[in-house]
Amino acid sequence: MTDRLNLAITCFPTFGGSGLIATEIGLAMADRGHRVHFIARDLPVRLRGTSRQIFFHEVTESDYPALQHSGTYPLALASKMIEVASYERLDILHVHYAVPHATAAWMAREVLGDKAPRIVTTLHGTDTTLIGTDPSYLPITRFSILRSDAVTAPSEFLRQATWEGFGIPESFPIQVIANFVDTVRYAPVRDRACLRPLFPDLEETEPVLVHVSNFRPVKRIGDVVATFAEVHRQRPCRLLMIGDGPERSPAERRLRELGLEGRVAFLGNQEHFVELLAASDVFLLPSEQESFGLAALEALSCGIPVVATAIGGIPELVDRGETGFLSPVGDVEGMARHVLSLVSDPPRWAAFSRRARERVLERFRLAPAMDRYEALYRRLVAGTAGR
């Protein structure tokens, strides 16, 4: 084994948390001198700049008429994995999302035989709690997880959900490596000047709430709007909506019905929004399912308290009554009360903000997480870990 690893990463190249975390792992490993190959449909959104250590391999599907609508992506992905592994002599194939990436990795290994790289599967949430446990996919998802050389999850919640959802014994090792954040990029630098183009008449003391997600039903975007409306009823405020998805249009329609559309800015998918996040006052996350809550972690790193639902991995991230507040799913009034308790008491908000930043620096920095991933890779390559 040489000091430099030859690593491939497969992820969904979208604004979703799994793709962002996978890309940041690859960038960090390249910074440590390893060769990193991204195998994906498109260039991951955070794969910025150029590097002699980073390579991109596009997965293309056949346009043959008989194969249309037949779901050929897993086969095309497995073929590209075989190709890259053969030519590049990969040490590690790190796949993010069990369905279909872990399955494609297993198929590639069956073809490569003794020349196959070791497979690391990182679970991220709906691949195990929703899609993977669907009866149509459960057997193959369970099989693919069990055939991985190592499996990681970002939270204790997701590890337990994987064991229980797939009937996997707890003796089967799933290593918890929490998601992380670049604390230099996501820092508590508050400059409300960036809000002026969005809200020209913004008062200096007017609270700004923020939500970042893919606007899927599981995010309960209607609850974001309802919480904002309840807070505004008692204290005028503004709302930043960063992201896009199927729930955006219903949310915009509801705000027009309430006459609040002028107090809300929908910004769509944004790669660079840190200054807006840091200039806000409270982050809202009323999801009905979250394996971790990466967007909330980014807010906490900026010193922004989080008001969220007490589900999934969020309680492992948000310290109730110290860095934010947690409510039952659908408790709009309770979430609004928590928001008001923060924005109406500046010293209390400042204390929450300070503790939020401190907790992130203690538990969720990038470098310690990369140390754990790198150590895992090296154990696998040395043959001292895995199954």
Side-chain angles (χ1 to χ4, degrees):
M1 179 184 70
T2 62
D3 288 339
R4 185 177 72 174
L5 295 171
N6 209 5
L7 164 70
I9 292 177
T10 290
C11 63
F12 289 118
T14 64
F15 284 91
S18 65
L20 300 182
I21 286 293
T23 305
E24 295 295 345
I25 291 173
L27 291 169
M29 290 300 162
D31 288 342
R32 293 182 174 212
H34 305 302
R35 288 170 62 89
V36 180
H37 303 264
F38 282 89
I39 305 174
R41 268 179 170 151
D42 295 298
L43 194 71
V45 294
R46 283 192 181 173
L47 196 56
R48 55 194 178 278
T50 58
S51 168
R52 295 182 64 184
Q53 297 295 109
I54 296 178
F55 308 87
F56 173 64
H57 307 269
E58 183 180 2
V59 178
T60 56
E61 298 179 61
S62 172
D63 58 1
Y64 187 68
L67 295 178
Q68 290 181 358
H69 310 296
S70 62
T72 59
Y73 170 64
L75 297 177
L77 174 58
S79 293
K80 182 60 71 172
M81 289 173 170
I82 295 166
E83 176 187 320
V84 175
S86 298
Y87 286 114
E88 301 293 343
R89 299 179 182 272
L90 296 177
D91 297 308
I92 297 289
L93 177 55
H94 190 169
V95 297
H96 293 258
Y97 229 70
V99 182
H101 296 159
T103 304
W106 168 76
M107 288 191 289
R109 185 171 63 186
E110 288 297 291
V111 174
L112 291 164
D114 292 341
K115 296 180 180 180
R118 306 305 293 271
I119 298 173
V120 177
T121 296
T122 292
L123 310 173
H124 284 276
T126 54
D127 55 341
T128 54
T129 60
L130 182 63
I131 301 172
T133 53
D134 183 296
S136 300
Y137 300 103
L138 191 151
I140 191 64
T141 305
R142 183 179 189 275
F143 176 88
S144 302
I145 291 171
L146 290 171
R147 291 300 183 273
S148 300
D149 293 301
V151 179
T152 73
S155 64
E156 180 61 34
F157 159 77
L158 189 57
R159 173 162 67 177
Q160 292 289 339
T162 303
W163 282 332
E164 295 170 8
F166 291 98
I168 295 174
E170 293 189 8
S171 58
F172 176 85
I174 299 176
Q175 184 176 355
V176 175
I177 303 180
N179 287 342
F180 50 86
V181 63
D182 183 341
T183 54
V184 175
R185 190 191 320 170
Y186 290 87
V189 181
R190 289 181 65 77
D191 183 0
R192 284 167 65 98
C194 64
L195 298 172
R196 294 295 175 187
L198 302 174
F199 306 118
D201 58 342
L202 180 68
E203 298 290 339
E204 188 60 34
T205 59
E206 195 172 359
V208 177
L209 315 185
V210 61
H211 173 79
V212 182
S213 77
N214 57 15
F215 286 48
R216 299 292 173 184
V218 71
K219 302 297 182 179
R220 297 182 70 90
I221 301 301
D223 285 1
V224 176
V225 171
T227 300
F228 161 71
E230 180 61 22
V231 173
H232 178 72
R233 186 178 66 82
Q234 301 181 56
R235 176 169 178 165
C237 59
R238 307 295 174 117
L239 174 64
L240 289 175
M241 298 287 276
I242 301 173
D244 215 328
E247 296 300 301
R248 175 175 173 173
S249 291
E252 290 182 298
R253 182 167 58 250
R254 179 56 180 157
L255 286 163
R256 288 193 294 269
E257 294 171 353
L258 294 170
L260 296 175
E261 68 274 18
R263 307 191 69 83
V264 181
F266 283 85
L267 303 181
N269 286 325
Q270 298 286 327
E271 182 179 353
H272 305 290
F273 58 87
V274 180
E275 63 176 2
L276 294 172
L277 188 61
S280 303
D281 295 288
V282 178
F283 185 91
L284 296 177
L285 189 64
S287 307
E288 63 186 44
Q289 192 175 72
E290 286 283 351
S291 63
F292 182 82
L294 179 61
L297 174 59
E298 293 172 341
L300 292 170
S301 187
C302 292
I304 307 305
V306 172
V307 173
T309 42
I311 48 89
I314 295 180
E316 299 175 46
L317 174 63
V318 178
D319 296 312
R320 191 192 305 255
E322 295 188 37
T323 65
F325 291 103
L326 302 177
S327 298
V329 174
D331 184 10
V332 169
E333 292 185 358
M335 295 184 77
R337 283 196 305 272
H338 291 320
V339 172
L340 287 164
S341 74
L342 288 167
V343 300
S344 301
D345 188 344
R348 189 184 199 199
W349 182 94
F352 272 67
S353 174
R354 183 177 61 256
R355 284 195 291 266
R357 176 67 175 180
E358 290 172 351
R359 298 296 166 79
V360 171
L361 291 174
E362 291 169 2
R363 296 154 49 186
F364 300 107
R365 290 185 299 116
L366 184 148
M370 293 308 100
D371 290 343
R372 298 185 70 187
Y373 278 118
E374 187 174 12
L376 174 60
Y377 297 157
R378 292 196 181 282
R379 289 197 304 271
L380 289 173
V381 173
T384 59
R387 291 169 293 281

